Amino acid sequence: MNALPRPSTIFLAAITTLVAVLLYSPLFVPIVSSFFTISHGDVDWSSPTLSTYWALAENHDILTALRTTLIVGLCTVVLSVVSGTLLALYYHGRRSGRSILQFIIFLPFLMPPIISGLALLIFFREIGLERSLLTVVIGHTVFVLAIVYRTVLMRLQSMSRTLVEASYDLGATGWQTFWRIILPNLSSAMVGGAILAFALSFDETMITILVTGTQSTLPVRLWAMMRLGFSPDINALVALILMFTVLLCVLAARFLIPRQMATERS
């Protein structure tokens, strides 16, 4: 017979469930509201409709901000993954200056975003670089670089050195070893770091406000709308973003975790 759960286990499970409900149940409010008409703050529950989604499709300001956010996020992912991987390879090669390198990489991530944003703003002003999407991408890349770097470095440190040594013993060059041995072992870590980098870039507000130009990202646009109030089509936007986030988590759990486990076992 299976042993009954202890009272402490039941209590902890109940507390965990309660906290989860309190934290995540408000997320369902905009999802449900997006399928009904809202008039003067009252929801008409008698007539389900997709009007908020059609209104969102015609809201050019929100769609432009969303497109800007996606462009910034994708550029940030590319730059942070490439830079983070190269820096992780440099650190793992046991070269000099590793402590200073990690200090420089982690400092912008550990400092409050407003301090990092002000430092970047002063830096861009001193070098004469006008605020634009380029400065936003640079700011986001500096901020999320530590996540990608640490993710790739942990995979490098867990990878067996015998794989690289065996590749050299079989006559492979340094480039062939990197392309056929190291990079395939780092691929899942790079994808995981890319997902985290995109999520952080998509949500970043404070640094973006300080370094952005005339084009606003979605968080900055929503921040500006708070003073006047949100239109009903924002509920549809929130619902779509939540669906995209859940899908991203499912894909990560489905494809990244098994690949990481298989790599570690090999």
Side-chain angles (χ1 to χ4, degrees):
M1 294 179 61
N2 295 329
L4 295 176
R6 293 180 298 178
S8 59
T9 304
I10 298 176
F11 176 75
L12 291 176
I15 292 297
T16 303
T17 303
L18 179 61
V19 171
V21 170
L22 292 177
L23 286 177
Y24 297 107
S25 58
L27 297 178
F28 294 96
V29 175
I31 296 178
V32 175
S33 301
S34 65
F35 294 100
F36 297 92
T37 303
I38 301 177
S39 179
H40 303 289
D42 296 328
V43 181
D44 184 7
W45 302 104
S46 61
S47 56
T49 179
L50 296 176
S51 59
T52 55
Y53 290 88
W54 293 115
L56 176 64
E58 298 176 355
N59 193 330
H60 299 290
D61 292 336
I62 292 296
L63 294 180
T64 300
L66 179 59
R67 182 169 60 251
T68 302
T69 302
L70 295 177
I71 293 174
V72 170
L74 292 176
C75 293
T76 300
V77 165
V78 173
L79 290 177
S80 61
V81 169
V82 173
S83 303
T85 302
L86 293 177
L87 291 171
L89 290 169
Y90 178 88
Y91 182 93
H92 190 65
R94 303 184 184 277
R95 295 180 174 87
S96 59
R98 297 195 304 170
S99 299
I100 298 177
L101 174 66
Q102 288 210 124
F103 176 78
I104 295 174
I105 292 174
F106 284 106
L107 185 61
F109 184 77
L110 296 176
M111 287 194 306
I114 189 172
I115 301 300
S116 299
L118 285 173
L120 288 168
L121 177 61
I122 295 172
F123 172 75
F124 293 143
R125 185 184 62 185
E126 291 298 323
I127 65 175
L129 183 61
E130 295 292 335
R131 290 186 293 173
S132 61
L133 284 186
L134 176 60
T135 58
V136 176
V137 171
I138 295 174
H140 285 201
T141 302
V142 170
F143 178 68
V144 306
L145 180 61
I147 293 294
V148 180
Y149 164 80
R150 188 58 184 172
T151 303
V152 176
L153 181 61
M154 290 179 63
R155 175 55 53 83
L156 271 174
Q157 293 174 339
S158 65
M159 190 175 66
S160 176
R161 297 184 64 88
T162 57
L163 295 174
V164 177
E165 294 172 356
S167 176
Y168 286 132
D169 290 340
L170 293 174
T173 63
W175 174 251
Q176 290 174 330
T177 300
F178 172 77
W179 185 255
R180 298 183 180 181
I181 303 298
I182 298 178
L183 190 60
N185 281 275
L186 296 181
S187 59
S188 60
M190 294 169 64
V191 172
I195 293 175
L196 293 175
F198 182 82
L200 291 174
S201 174
F202 190 92
D203 186 57
E204 178 53 45
T205 303
M206 186 56 64
I207 294 177
T208 308
I209 290 176
L210 294 172
V211 300
T212 190
T214 57
Q215 295 175 285
S216 298
T217 61
L218 184 61
V220 174
R221 181 65 184 175
L222 295 179
W223 181 282
M225 292 176 62
M226 288 178 61
R227 290 174 292 183
L228 302 176
F230 295 116
S231 55
D233 54 346
I234 298 300
N235 290 328
L237 176 65
V238 172
L240 293 176
I241 292 177
L242 288 176
M243 292 173 58
F244 173 74
T245 304
V246 171
L247 178 61
L248 202 62
C249 293
V250 171
L251 290 176
R254 173 62 181 85
F255 294 103
L256 297 184
I257 294 178
R259 290 176 61 184
Q260 292 177 355
M261 293 176 62
T263 302
E264 293 172 358
R265 290 175 181 175
S266 62

